[in-house]
Amino acid sequence: MEWVDRLNESMEYLEAHLASEISYEEMARIACCSRYHFQRMFTYLAGTTLSEYIRRRRMSLAAVELRSGGERIIDLAEKYGYSSPTAFNRAFQSVHGAAPSEVRSGSAAVKAFPPLVFTLSVRGGEALDYRIETCPAFRVVGISAPLTQELEENFAAVPQLWQRAAEDGTIPRLAGLMDAPPMGLLGISVCGEAERWRYLIAVSSTRPAGEFEEYTVPAAVWAVFPGAGLEAFQDLQRRVVTEWLPTSGYEYANAPDLEVYLNPDPRDARYEVWIPVVKRTER
């Protein structure tokens, strides 16, 4: 249960800082993982992004305060970290579907979003195949796109990079350079604490990079999950986080996530999801 306890401690930190600055880094530290992996894990477990959850919680509290009539709208905007009443109004309406002034007057209903509490639940019984791979560092060559600290902004950037690579001939040019394991077209999420966040489409290669950029994937241990069919890719990632990770005895390591496309053809896609892991330690 310690894994769940850590997540709930991070939620307690969030609740204590809703009216001040919230540090994603501190939440990740409490949960014993990187900021990137914490946000990813939260999204799969909660069904919404961390930034959206924070917005909902803040606007839920703001609605209560507006109903009580004790705070001005401009004061609430400042309290919950908005640069102007206009920005606050926009966020408030996106959550409640009504303007703050309508809620204050009592003419509009509001939504309540109680704090999240994580619990360990038993699911399914459906098999989830995996293996543990210990790999030395390896060099890759490819192309990349920057990733931001807000994961939802990356949901558009990564598909756009793949589309560009397919349309301009990058993928077959990369395939011609592949000569080292892991053999396959790689999607690499580089989001280490001391690295420039970016997503690479690459191959493992010992050949000259030429027109492509280089990156060295650090030595690490990965839990590897095979999958098939691109429509099942997100569901496989969700199952890894919500079903396998809590009871696996492992936790996220500070290394890149890998997608290894053994056959990237959308008509018969076969791939592996590589999650960097370390043995979980008791605190």
Side-chain angles (χ1 to χ4, degrees):
M1 289 294 290
E2 185 177 355
W3 186 82
V4 176
D5 293 339
R6 291 175 183 176
L7 286 174
N8 285 325
E9 286 178 28
S10 70
M11 292 297 99
E12 290 171 6
Y13 164 86
L14 186 153
E15 287 297 311
H17 292 79
L18 283 172
S20 59
E21 183 177 355
I22 295 173
S23 169
Y24 285 15
E25 286 78 10
E26 179 61 15
M27 295 182 71
R29 185 197 66 76
I30 294 170
C32 297
C33 60
S34 70
R35 170 179 172 151
Y36 171 77
H37 287 127
F38 179 79
Q39 289 184 80
R40 235 171 130 251
M41 187 164 54
F42 181 92
T43 298
Y44 284 122
L45 289 170
T48 188
T49 63
L50 180 57
S51 61
E52 177 60 25
Y53 172 74
I54 292 172
R55 179 163 46 247
R56 291 175 182 177
R57 283 292 300 134
R58 283 175 163 165
M59 294 304 100
S60 188
L61 295 179
V64 172
E65 295 181 63
L66 280 170
R67 280 282 173 83
S68 71
E71 293 271 10
R72 296 184 304 166
I73 292 174
I74 191 171
D75 294 330
L76 286 175
E78 182 178 358
K79 179 178 182 178
Y80 290 113
Y82 289 88
S83 57
S84 68
T86 300
F88 173 78
N89 286 351
R90 188 162 50 244
F92 191 92
Q93 290 195 64
S94 72
V95 170
H96 296 291
S101 58
E102 294 176 296
V103 173
R104 163 159 281 169
S105 69
S107 62
V110 295
K111 296 180 176 67
F113 292 96
L116 272 175
V117 176
F118 292 105
T119 60
L120 184 61
S121 62
V122 178
R123 302 185 180 207
E126 183 181 352
L128 189 59
D129 295 334
Y130 75 97
R131 68 181 188 275
I132 300 297
E133 288 272 358
T134 301
C135 295
F138 59 94
R139 169 183 175 268
V140 301
V141 297
I143 61 173
S144 72
L147 297 177
T148 74
Q149 300 284 311
E150 298 295 340
L151 291 193
E152 57 264 43
E153 296 179 13
N154 302 324
F155 294 158
V158 170
Q160 287 171 3
L161 185 67
W162 278 103
Q163 182 176 357
R164 192 179 84 218
E167 291 175 350
D168 67 9
T170 293
I171 288 177
R173 293 200 303 275
L174 282 174
L177 296 176
M178 178 172 46
D179 66 355
M183 299 297 287
L185 191 62
L186 308 177
I188 307 173
S189 298
V190 179
C191 298
E193 299 301 318
E195 295 180 289
R196 175 173 60 89
W197 284 23
R198 62 196 189 278
Y199 180 89
L200 292 102
I201 298 174
V203 294
S204 181
S205 178
T206 62
R207 300 178 184 178
E211 64 184 294
F212 300 112
E213 62 183 278
E214 301 179 44
Y215 175 72
T216 298
V217 177
V221 176
W222 277 274
V224 181
F225 301 84
L230 292 179
E231 68 283 352
F233 182 79
Q234 289 293 327
D235 186 60
L236 175 59
Q237 290 189 314
R238 179 193 58 78
R239 290 191 65 205
V240 169
V241 171
T242 61
E243 299 178 24
W244 181 81
L245 193 60
T247 57
S248 66
Y250 289 93
E251 59 192 21
Y252 273 118
N254 189 21
D257 284 359
L258 304 181
E259 305 152 17
V260 181
Y261 293 95
L262 308 172
N263 179 13
D265 187 340
R267 295 166 296 183
D268 183 29
R270 288 179 290 110
Y271 49 82
E272 294 177 335
V273 172
W274 290 41
I275 304 296
V277 294
V278 294
K279 281 286 189 179
R280 188 172 301 145
T281 57
E282 299 296 325
R283 289 191 298 177

